[in-house]
Amino acid sequence: MDAEEVAAAAEVLRSGGLVAFPTETVYGLGAAAARPEAVARIFAVKGRPADHPVIVHLPSARHLERWTADVPEAAHQLAEACWPGPLTMVLGRASWVPAAVTGGRPTIAVRVPAHPVALELLELFGDGVAAPSANRFGRVSPTTAAHVRADLGDEVDLVLEGGPSQVGVESTIVDLSGGRPEVLRLGSITPARLEEVLGAPVPVWQGQRGVAAPGTLVAHYAPHARVELVGAAEVVARATVLRQQGRQVAVLAPDRYPDLAGEVVQLGPMGSSADYARGLYERLRRADEVGAEVVLAVPPPDEGVGAAVADRLRRAAASTR
Ligand code: TXA
Ligand code: MG
């Protein structure tokens, strides 16, 4: 890690600028969360609707007191067990927190990321950093500094390098602001793990008709290519049909298909659920680079982070239909 770069980045945050930084999940586009005009720049650069709340990244759980209110014991237990790590908690917000951060909600989303560069930046800066994923709104999240530069280029004051993100999909979001905990977004920390820590059931939010759930927009996480979900046994037949229609086809799957014709681009094998998650967004970007019109995606096994990968693939499929 380049200590001078990180110090320069903390200075950029202090002066109200934008810093893209690595986390273990995906790269974030950060601004001083206490400064509404700095947070507003995030929204401008991302092209993100202003009522969409952002996650505040904290140096440690000790900073919860400044940003949150009415923190239940369950939140302290989860912080103890999972931070630093890919878990975001939605909690009551402190009354002073800018509406730019919360999208005008009475709640705030907070997390302590597990990446040495992110932690160094947060500690040097010493306060909350508002950061959505560092991609344009509705597109695939970046898992390398190069992805950030390709998406946002000169519009960011500084991009910190931190290698490829090790988890590869966005953090699990658990809402602890109501009576009982509820998972709003799947990630590598599974509902089963949360239940184990809390010793109580933690359901996954299933959606309500007519309510645009925060963090659960269906049209999201999409490449330009159309994404089609298929079973492992259907890949070869479906790819063949699409080829006969003259379509450029890419396959994203845990395994390789030796029988597939050479003109079908195989983006995998993606391997285990964890490997699949780590490579997911890079492969969706590559699908666009190779000019694929259709990505045939076979979700990974439903274990560990596999459910989160399947969730992102479903969203990608829904928004590119
Ligand atoms: O892994 C991650 O969480 C990455 C890295 C950079 O930390 N960040 C990320 O941010 O994915 P973003 O903005 O792309 O997604 C944050 C999600 C949004 O979908 C938002 O709706 C939800 O968190 N969120 C933020 N504040 C919330 C709140 N007060 N209540 C409910 N959901 C909230
Ligand atoms: Mg995002």
Side-chain angles (χ1 to χ4, degrees):
M1 171 169 35
D2 186 335
E4 270 173 41
E5 274 287 286
V6 183
E11 214 34 65
V12 169
L13 292 176
R14 262 176 225 121
S15 63
L18 296 185
V19 173
F21 62 97
T23 84
E24 79 281 36
T25 57
V26 300
Y27 275 65
L29 178 61
R35 297 176 57 165
E37 77 287 359
V39 177
R41 282 195 61 201
I42 296 177
F43 286 83
V45 166
K46 278 200 61 139
R48 178 172 168 132
D51 62 350
H52 211 81
V54 288
I55 296 171
V56 175
H57 296 69
L58 302 175
S60 74
R62 284 199 305 282
H63 290 251
L64 277 176
E65 211 179 310
R66 165 162 155 78
W67 292 90
T68 60
D70 307 321
V71 178
E73 182 50 31
H76 294 296
Q77 288 174 303
L78 288 175
E80 177 70 27
C82 302
W83 281 356
L87 180 69
T88 295
M89 292 195 249
V90 173
L91 298 165
R93 63 162 169 79
S95 56
W96 67 272
V97 174
V101 166
T102 63
R105 289 174 172 73
T107 54
I108 182 172
V110 287
R111 93 173 180 103
V112 178
H115 190 293
V117 174
L119 284 174
E120 177 75 14
L121 174 67
L122 290 165
E123 268 154 29
L124 275 180
F125 179 61
D127 196 14
V129 173
S133 50
N135 53 287
R136 288 203 196 278
F137 185 68
R139 309 299 331 174
V140 174
S141 293
T143 52
T144 67
H147 293 166
V148 177
R149 283 190 218 98
D151 268 19
L152 303 175
D154 299 341
E155 294 179 74
V156 185
D157 297 305
L158 200 153
V159 180
L160 281 177
E161 179 64 62
S165 295
Q166 287 305 298
V167 174
V169 295
E170 302 82 354
S171 59
T172 304
I173 303 181
V174 61
D175 186 351
L176 295 158
S177 68
R180 55 166 202 179
E182 207 171 19
V183 171
L184 299 181
R185 181 172 73 183
L186 294 170
S188 70
I189 295 187
T190 60
R193 172 67 183 138
L194 301 176
E195 290 177 347
E196 181 184 84
V197 173
L198 298 179
V202 183
V204 178
W205 191 87
Q206 294 299 343
Q208 272 163 271
R209 216 188 304 234
V211 178
T216 55
L217 286 178
V218 168
H220 223 126
Y221 311 105
H224 294 286
R226 191 178 79 206
V227 176
E228 260 183 45
L229 296 186
V230 292
E234 298 156 16
V235 169
V236 175
R238 183 67 187 137
T240 306
V241 169
L242 288 165
R243 284 298 305 157
Q244 281 161 357
Q245 295 170 357
R247 298 306 190 86
Q248 295 294 331
V249 181
V251 170
L252 183 66
D255 302 308
R256 262 193 87 76
Y257 293 84
D259 298 344
L260 269 184
E263 63 266 26
V264 173
V265 178
Q266 299 203 47
L267 300 163
M270 303 304 290
S272 71
S273 294
D275 290 338
Y276 202 135
R278 202 174 293 123
L280 175 68
Y281 290 141
E282 200 268 324
R283 295 316 201 289
L284 290 178
R285 280 170 191 262
R286 196 185 301 162
D288 284 341
E289 280 160 24
V290 301
E293 294 164 276
V294 183
V295 176
L296 296 180
V298 180
D302 187 9
E303 62 192 23
V305 71
V309 173
D311 165 76
R312 302 308 191 272
L313 288 173
R314 270 195 303 277
R315 290 170 202 278
S319 63
T320 59
R321 218 168 4 224

